[in-house]
Amino acid sequence: MAEITGITPQIKDKTRCNIEVDGRFNCGMKLETVMQNRLKAGMCVSLETLSRMQLESEKMTALDKALTHITSSMKTEREIRDFLKKKGYLSDVCDYVAEKMKGYGFLDDGQYAKTYAESAGKRKGRRLIAAELKRKGVGDGEIEEALNGLTGERESALRVLGKYMRGKPVDKKTLSKAYAYLIGKGYDYETARGALSAFGDTEDED
């Protein structure tokens, strides 16, 4: 059992409260739910009970917020879960929302990875795209499949390099920096070297 040590109204939404348990923020909850269950500071309650209360009273509200969150752009499952956690929702609610959204076809990490790779591939290399997708919570298999469908990396590197070299002198020092720039953009060594061959050679002289 845990002790509720504080119940305070949320600043941006007076219809919801922040619930503190053992001196730390635990979750957000509707004021109506708090009152119905007669929650108050000093009360001992299990974390599972709080989670169940929140799920029963706020699962549809959380789903609506998550659906609104994806209207501007696609999101991965991890991004949706992180969004809901920041809003004060517990794991049971996050699980409910994620499963509902996947069932509706609004969450599909595999499709997200393909779309992201196709867009990012115009200005980034495979290594950087893979790292970014990994940070977004996309699985290794889905990342690999997305990258396997990616084409035109050499042309992408040439475009990125062309923009970088605009207005710069074509000398060994600049080309060396350009090479490092391409590597930083996620292009592999062979692709970066191939793109640079259109401008010169960065190999050290003997």
Side-chain angles (χ1 to χ4, degrees):
M1 299 291 283
E3 181 183 348
I4 296 177
T5 51
I7 301 177
T8 57
Q10 291 187 354
I11 296 175
K12 294 183 178 180
D13 187 350
K14 299 300 183 182
T15 67
R16 301 186 81 231
C17 298
N18 290 329
I19 308 294
E20 288 185 7
V21 173
D22 294 334
R24 299 180 64 181
F25 173 77
N26 177 260
C27 67
M29 191 172 292
K30 285 184 178 179
L31 178 59
E32 179 182 4
T33 304
V34 172
M35 296 177 66
Q36 286 177 345
N37 291 276
R38 298 181 180 179
L39 300 179
K40 59 183 179 180
M43 177 183 290
C44 290
V45 62
S46 69
L47 298 181
E48 292 77 11
T49 297
L50 287 176
S51 183
R52 186 173 65 251
M53 289 178 184
Q54 189 191 65
L55 176 63
E56 291 173 352
S57 67
E58 298 195 59
K59 60 185 180 182
M60 295 312 299
T61 300
L63 179 58
D64 286 343
K65 288 183 178 180
L67 290 173
T68 300
H69 187 54
I70 66 170
T71 54
S72 59
S73 64
M74 292 176 64
K75 301 289 189 299
T76 65
E77 182 175 344
R78 177 182 290 178
E79 287 175 326
I80 287 295
R81 288 179 178 275
D82 288 346
F83 168 76
L84 291 173
K85 287 178 182 177
K86 289 180 181 178
K87 293 290 184 182
Y89 292 106
L90 298 171
S91 295
D92 285 349
V93 173
C94 295
D95 292 342
Y96 173 86
V97 171
E99 290 306 312
K100 281 293 184 181
M101 291 182 72
K102 285 190 283 187
Y104 293 150
F106 291 123
L107 273 187
D108 185 338
D109 282 2
Q111 184 58 48
Y112 178 95
K114 292 176 183 177
T115 302
Y116 186 89
E118 183 179 352
S119 176
K122 299 173 183 177
R123 59 190 184 281
K124 300 174 184 177
R126 292 170 179 264
R127 290 189 302 106
L128 183 55
I129 293 172
E132 290 176 344
L133 286 172
K134 189 75 172 179
R135 286 197 296 271
K136 291 173 177 288
V138 180
D140 292 340
E142 292 159 326
I143 292 175
E144 183 178 359
E145 185 176 353
L147 293 180
N148 285 341
L150 194 61
T151 60
E153 188 172 34
R154 183 177 184 278
E155 291 75 14
S156 169
L158 282 169
R159 284 196 299 271
V160 171
L161 178 61
K163 290 182 179 180
Y164 178 84
M165 292 296 296
R166 195 171 297 159
K168 294 183 175 68
V170 182
D171 55 30
K172 201 167 189 66
K173 182 178 181 180
T174 302
L175 290 175
S176 181
K177 289 182 178 179
Y179 176 73
Y181 179 77
L182 288 176
I183 296 301
K185 283 290 184 179
Y187 297 99
D188 61 36
Y189 302 113
E190 183 177 351
T191 301
R193 186 70 68 190
L196 283 167
S197 66
F199 287 86
D201 188 4
T202 61
E203 295 288 355
D204 292 333
E205 296 181 5
D206 293 331

